[in-house]
Every structure is written in structure tokens, then in C-alpha cells.
Amino acid sequence: MTEPTEPPGRSAVQSVVDEPPLPSRIRRPLDGLWLLIFIAGMTALVAMSIIAERTMTAITADLADLNNRVPEGPLEIVSFTADLAGVAMPPILVVVLMIRGRVRTTVELLIAGLIAAAAASLVSTWLRTSAPARLHDPLVPVIDGVDGTPVPPYPAMLVALVTIVSRRDLKRSRQVAIFAIAGSFAVGLLRGEATVGGLLIALAIGASAGLAVRLFGGQPSVAPSGQQIVATLAENGYHVEALYADPSGEYRLLTAETPHGRLSVLIVDRDDEGAGTLGRLMDRLRTRADVLPRQTVTMRETLDRIALQSLAVARAGARTPPLRNVLRVDGDSAIIVFDHVEARPLAEMSADEISEHTLEDLWRQLGALRRNHVAHRGLSGRTIRVDSDGGVWLLAPSGGEVAANDIALRADLAQALTTVGIAVGAQRTVDSALRVLGPDVVRSAVPLLQPVALAPATRRHVKGHRETLVDLRRRLVDSVGAPAEPVRLQRFRPLSLVTGVGSVVAVYLVGTQLSDVSFTQLLAQTDWRWLLLAVAAMIANYVGMALGIIGFVPERVPFKRVLGTQVALSFLRLVAPTTVGSVAMNIRMLTKAGIAAPLASASVAANQVAQVAVTFPLLVVLAVASGTSAVAGLPSTTTLVVIVGLLLSAALLALIPPIRARLRTVWSDFAERGLPRLLDVLGDPRKLATAVGGILLQSLGLIACFYAALLAVGETVNFAGLAVVQLVGNTLGMAVPTPGGLGAVEAALTAGVSTLGVPSTVAVTGVLVFRIISFWLPILPGWILWTQMRKRDML
């Protein structure tokens, strides 16, 4: 590093600081991250208590049994000391904070403690009175035959207090409070007065309450003021005459005027610790390769990464502001001092202002970084700067790497190509890169010219220039012959993750339902003649689906092709939610049959609308015709509350401008394409009869299949009432994003059939038979048709 130009000492001249006022309180991203971690931990703990009930109970019993082997004297001392410390600490903390004038922190302390204690008490009451047995048994302690307190409120309150004052200069008080918490936990476990799960939930509730209050009210900012920075620089020999803000960059950046020239001062503090961690974590989980920059969470990691990257970039031969010093301001902040470079961000320059010399200089510097295996990992319109002579400077961010692998170097080039392409256009970008780097190097970046491979800042920028990536790929393919198909870098999509988690939950729900079913007795009691009728009704359902699609396509499409697609969808339901997979596959089938893509989408959209328009009146008619209480118990009060909550959530989401704009786009697209298709069908009696008849046959086929499945297990019900149950239960179940509504459909149909007077065991059995025929049985023929139609390019 370059040494200071003056010996240490304070400046005799009062420095001028020109910077916007710093916020007095901030919401730390790290608090939000920890809050999510504690909530996820509580959820996992509850799931573990249900799944591993015996293990959790055994751990608590073993700890309580240890009490017989521990001398009573030491345990009594720990209990007395912990109780005394726990009782004394809250008022002591309040008094200390009030003496120091921390009135707002005192109020936050009291609010967090009350929230934690109230939440723990409510959870305890629910666990003792209303919780399922699989939650009650592992979490509720039994003391002399009476249920104890599963989630002790006082330790939860102490945890909340410690969380609130964790960033205050109250080290001794925090230590005493932590001893009180740990002591009470240990004594409760050894005496059998608490369970492991209950104490961990109390810990999570207390921490979550404290973090939530910290996030809501904010925390005092630890960012150093301009005068503190001037004083730190002066102590290290930099006599600052003026200090003013430089708004560019993701970090707080100041420019310092000194007698020997300007300096750039980068401030790193603990206020921003954890910023963007969750988004970066999701990005890294979604990508198959190491294409995105590494995330720095703590202040120390950020300092080390920036300093190392700056030295590595300069040593590799690229042009970057020279690093002078890294200085600690106080325990919560530090500054990095660079020589100041007068240069403009590339994002603020027009295409005419960017010369060919500038572009070639950028590619030469990237070539130097590649040869030295240094990945910048943050090339963007803000970090690429151009000076008055057209020379390029690369600002060193915190995400760079030394000894970088090939994928990181290729990602750097893809970042630069995208950034420059937005600034000067694809043609100039490609031509200049090929002149300097050559076709082999440039070709390597083509597969990474896709949004998932770009850094978050570049990805946000490219949203308004989506045509840039397409144009870059096309021109590069034309110039160097690279493959047009990008490499798939995603491990999974968010919808796939939701589907996977939902599937695991669904398998568990179905498994618990089947635990009461005797398959030997099921085989003995099943009437196979009714099963044949159920299979025939299921076939009719597929025929109805095919007719419903054909009815909305004015052009001629082979019936066998459409029918085969509906059967193939039975296999695809294993890997995608039903509605999403059905819409996408039917559009693909129609386009492969020669229907223009917009018209195919319009036909499928019209079919979806017509299904709703036909099914709901049918449901009302059947409900009136049933004359029973089929609807009274379906759905339950809890289910209705959930449905109302979902509807209110949807209404609130519709108030968000981006979502409202998306809904408006969807509606306008349907009004432009789907509505004319619907009107065409309404004007053609033959097509209308085919479409409506197909939709009715589809619904009645499923109802008849369900009715025959119940008859097969020896149960007779009202057909109209069962139809209501099937339509409502299937609709509610399909709203869950699991393959084929797995788990949710079974639960909804079982609850609905029970309202018709069918015993719960028989209801589970009948629903199981129905789902075997309607969901599991068609998977094999669906897979065969899927593979064969794919081979023949029909799907």
C-alpha cells in the first residue's frame, strides 16, 4: 500500500464536510435475515415434532432421567441463582437504560418482552388444549399427571430483552441474562418441567419478537459521520480540507480534498451487513455453476475482499484506482482510501461519447484479467469508468476472485458484453470484442448470455433492454458460429421448489391417511365390477377433455392427437401443477398441429374460461338437486376462513402496481385473442355443442368414476351430493401447487364424503380407490404416449 504523504497528526484547518445527513436509525438487513432463520427453525422444529415424535419424546425423557444421577445440591444452587438473575435483570436493564437516557430503547425493551411473553403463553395454551396429539405429546411436559407449560413465557421474555440490547454497551448485563436463560432451561429439562422442543420454541419466539421490534423501530445507525472520517484520516497523515459525497456505487463513497490531491474514501460499516444475502443465496441455489459473485455478509469479509480484489486487479495489469490504506474508524466501521480518478460511469455516457479506442481498452484489460485468472465479478455500467482521455478504469467491488475458474472468467466477459451492448449496441460490441480478444475467447461467453448468469445489478438493468441479450447472441452466433442454444444454468425454478416441497408434504399427508387402511381387507371387500365401470368413466373423462379442446379450434385437428395429449398429461402431472401443465401442453400440441401460436393460446384460454362458465352453473344445479347437507360441511369453517384470507390476499396483491399491470396485460391478451375465439364458437352451433358437451362429459366422467369407486367399496351415497363434493373438493385441491393436487385433493374429498354420512375409514378407502384409478393408473399409458408423441414431433 502507498504510505500517507504526511506524518501522523491532526489538521489545523477545520474541514468542510458536504454530505447529506445520515439517518439516525436504520433497519439492518442482518436482523431480517436472522428473523427468517428463527422462523424457519420454528417451522422445522414443529415438523420434526410431528415426524419424529418418539425421538423428541425420548430425548426429553432421557434428560429428565439424568436428574436422578445429578446431585440435588448443585442443581438447587443453579436453580436459585438462575431464578434470581432472571427476576432481577429486567428491572436492572430498564434502570440502566433510563439513566443513560435511552427512553426509546427502554420502550422497545418492554414491548418486545410483552410480545414474547404473550406469544409464548398463547402457544402454550393452544398446545395444551387444541393441538393434535402428535404435537401435544412431544412438546407438552407432564408433571404429576398434569400438563405443564410447554413454552415457558419468562425465558422467552428474557431472550427478547437480550436481543433488544445485544448491540448496546451492556456486556455484563447480557452475560447475566444469558446465564439466567441457560440455567432455567437446564433446570427445567432435568426436572422434567419442560421439553426440548418447547424450550427451543421459547428461544425462537423470544428472538423473533426482539428482532421484529428491532426491524419495526429500527436501530441507531453506526455509520461514521463526516467529521469522524476526517479525524481518522488526519490521525493517519491525510490533512483533509473538504469532504463531499460521491453518489455513485453501491457503498457510501466520499471524495476528500487534500493539499496533495483528491482521495476517494469508501466507507464500510455494520449497518449494511447481510444486505442482499437472501437474494444471493437463492440465486446460488438456482444456478448450476459458479457464475454469480460471492456474497460477503460481515464487515470484515467486505474489507478483506475489496482490498484483495483491488490489489489483484492492479497486479494483473488492469487500470484501477490505487489503494492507499484501510483504516478502522471505530468498532463498527472502517474506511478504504484510494487515489481519486476523474472518470464517468459508462452507464451515464451516450453511444457517441464512447469511442472505439475506449472499447478496445476495456477488452484489453479484461484480457489481462483472464490471463492472470482474476475475476472482477462486478462489471457494470457503474463500475466501468471512462476518463477524459478515453481510458477505462475498473472499480474493485467486493465480489471478485483470484485464481478464478473458467466459468467465473466467462461470466465476467458475459457481464461486460451485456453492459457494453446496452451502451453502444450489439454490433459495435461484438466487432470490438472480436478484434481484441479473438473468436475463441468471445465464443466462450455466448452460453452465459442469459439473465440467470448475470449479476443482480446487471440483471435489473437489462430488464429494460431485453432485446440486447437476444441481439448479442444472434450476432455472435453469426460471427463465430457458437451454438445458439444457451447452456442451462438453473438447478431449479422457484415453482419447481414449491412443487417439490408441496409433494413431500402431500406424500406425508397421504401416508398418514393410509395408515388406517387395511389393504388386505380392501382387496377382499372391493367389488371389481364397479371398478370396471370407474375405469370406463375415467376414459369418458379423457374423451370429454379432448372434445372440449376441439370445440374451441375452428381449424381441423385430428381427434386421436388431441386425445393422446390429454392422456399424456396424466404423466406430466407428476412433474408440474395440473393447470399449468395442461395449458402449456395443449398450446404446444396445437402449434405442432399447424395452428398459429397466438390462435392456439387463444383457443386454450377460451377453453379454460368455458370450463369455469359451465362448471359453476353445474355445481349450483347439483347442489339444489341434492337436497342434502352436502354443501353444509364442505368446506369447514377453518377452510372458509383460509379461502377468505386467500381472496383478501389476492385483492391486496392486485393493488400492487406491477401485479395489477400484469393482470391487465393478461386480461387484454385474452380480450384480444381468446374472446374472439369464444365468440366464434358461440356463433357455430356444432362447435358450441362439441365444446359444452366435452366439458360436461369431462366433469360427469370424474363424478361417475368417484361414485363407482365408492360403490366398489360397498358404500352408497346420493349422486348429486357426491357430485358437489367432487367438484368443490377437486377445485380446492387443485389450487395447491403439487403434482395432480396430491395430498390436497385426497384431504378435501375425504372431508367432503364424510359430510354425506360416510364413515371416515370408508371415506379414506373410497377416495384412495378413486385416486388410484383417476391419478395413478393413467400414468403408465400417459408416459408411453408422451414419449411416442415426442418422437414423432407431435408434442
Side-chain angles (χ1 to χ4, degrees), residues 185-196:
F185 279 12
V187 171
L189 287 173
L190 291 175
R191 289 180 173 176
E193 297 173 351
T195 64
V196 173

Side-chain angles (χ1 to χ4, degrees), residues 456-510:
T458 307
R459 201 181 308 157
R460 289 191 295 270
H461 193 196
V462 87
K463 281 185 178 179
H465 305 82
R466 294 188 180 275
E467 71 286 350
T468 300
L469 285 178
V470 178
D471 201 12
L472 278 172
R473 281 196 296 264
R474 180 176 59 80
R475 292 184 183 277
L476 283 171
V477 169
D478 293 341
S479 301
V480 299
E485 189 69 24
V487 174
R488 183 177 178 184
L489 299 173
Q490 285 184 311
R491 298 181 195 272
F492 58 83
R493 291 182 171 84
L495 181 59
S496 302
L497 177 63
V498 174
T499 299
V501 173
S503 300
V504 173
V505 175
V507 170
Y508 173 76
L509 293 174
V510 174

Side-chain angles (χ1 to χ4, degrees), residues 304-520:
D304 292 344
R305 185 67 64 82
I306 293 177
L308 175 62
Q309 177 72 359
S310 179
L311 295 174
V313 169
R315 187 64 179 267
R319 199 179 294 113
T320 189
L323 175 66
R324 280 182 172 264
N325 243 326
V326 181
L327 305 173
R328 173 77 73 166
V329 178
D330 52 35
D332 293 312
S333 58
I335 57 177
I336 306 175
V337 184
F338 298 94
D339 282 349
H340 182 74
V341 175
E342 290 291 345
R344 295 172 61 191
L346 189 71
E348 296 180 2
M349 301 177 66
S350 65
D352 294 335
E353 294 177 299
I354 303 172
S355 66
E356 293 301 313
H357 164 72
T358 298
L359 296 179
E360 291 175 1
D361 187 34
L362 171 62
W363 303 128
R364 278 194 292 270
Q365 295 193 54
L366 283 184
L369 293 180
R370 287 179 64 86
R371 288 190 296 274
N372 289 273
H373 300 279
V374 176
H376 190 280
R377 309 311 301 268
L379 294 169
S380 68
R382 310 301 306 180
T383 58
I384 300 174
R385 302 292 182 92
V386 181
D387 61 25
S388 57
D389 297 327
V392 172
W393 294 78
L394 305 179
L395 271 62
S398 61
E401 299 173 22
V402 296
N405 58 23
D406 180 64
I407 195 72
L409 298 175
R410 294 165 64 190
D412 251 12
L413 182 53
Q415 283 269 126
L417 287 169
T418 304
T419 300
V420 176
I422 293 173
V424 303
Q427 188 63 58
R428 287 184 62 190
T429 301
V430 172
D431 292 344
S432 60
L434 288 175
R435 281 198 304 272
V436 177
L437 298 175
D440 292 336
V441 173
V442 178
R443 182 188 294 113
S444 67
V446 177
L448 280 80
L449 287 172
Q450 48 181 311
V452 72
L454 301 176
T458 307
R459 201 181 308 157
R460 289 191 295 270
H461 193 196
V462 87
K463 281 185 178 179
H465 305 82
R466 294 188 180 275
E467 71 286 350
T468 300
L469 285 178
V470 178
D471 201 12
L472 278 172
R473 281 196 296 264
R474 180 176 59 80
R475 292 184 183 277
L476 283 171
V477 169
D478 293 341
S479 301
V480 299
E485 189 69 24
V487 174
R488 183 177 178 184
L489 299 173
Q490 285 184 311
R491 298 181 195 272
F492 58 83
R493 291 182 171 84
L495 181 59
S496 302
L497 177 63
V498 174
T499 299
V501 173
S503 300
V504 173
V505 175
V507 170
Y508 173 76
L509 293 174
V510 174
T512 55
Q513 288 179 341
L514 298 183
S515 61
D516 298 327
V517 176
S518 171
F519 286 93
T520 304

Side-chain angles (χ1 to χ4, degrees), residues 127-146:
L127 286 172
R128 285 198 303 263
T129 58
S130 306
R134 306 195 78 173
L135 268 180
H136 176 279
D137 295 344
L139 295 179
V140 179
V142 179
I143 306 171
D144 298 330
V146 180

Side-chain angles (χ1 to χ4, degrees), residues 752-764:
V753 172
S754 299
T755 64
L756 300 176
V758 178
S760 59
T761 304
V762 179
V764 170

Side-chain angles (χ1 to χ4, degrees), residues 22 28 167 220-230 232 236 252 254 265-273 298-300 302-303 326-336:
L22 298 174
R28 297 183 66 208
R167 298 188 67 196
S221 175
V222 298
S225 66
Q227 292 298 341
Q228 287 178 290
I229 295 170
V230 169
T232 301
N236 288 272
R252 182 183 168 201
L254 302 175
V265 183
L266 186 67
I267 296 92
V268 181
D269 56 57
R270 298 191 188 279
D271 282 349
D272 294 324
E273 286 187 331
T298 65
M299 183 185 78
R300 169 53 58 191
T302 302
L303 287 172
V326 181
L327 305 173
R328 173 77 73 166
V329 178
D330 52 35
D332 293 312
S333 58
I335 57 177
I336 306 175

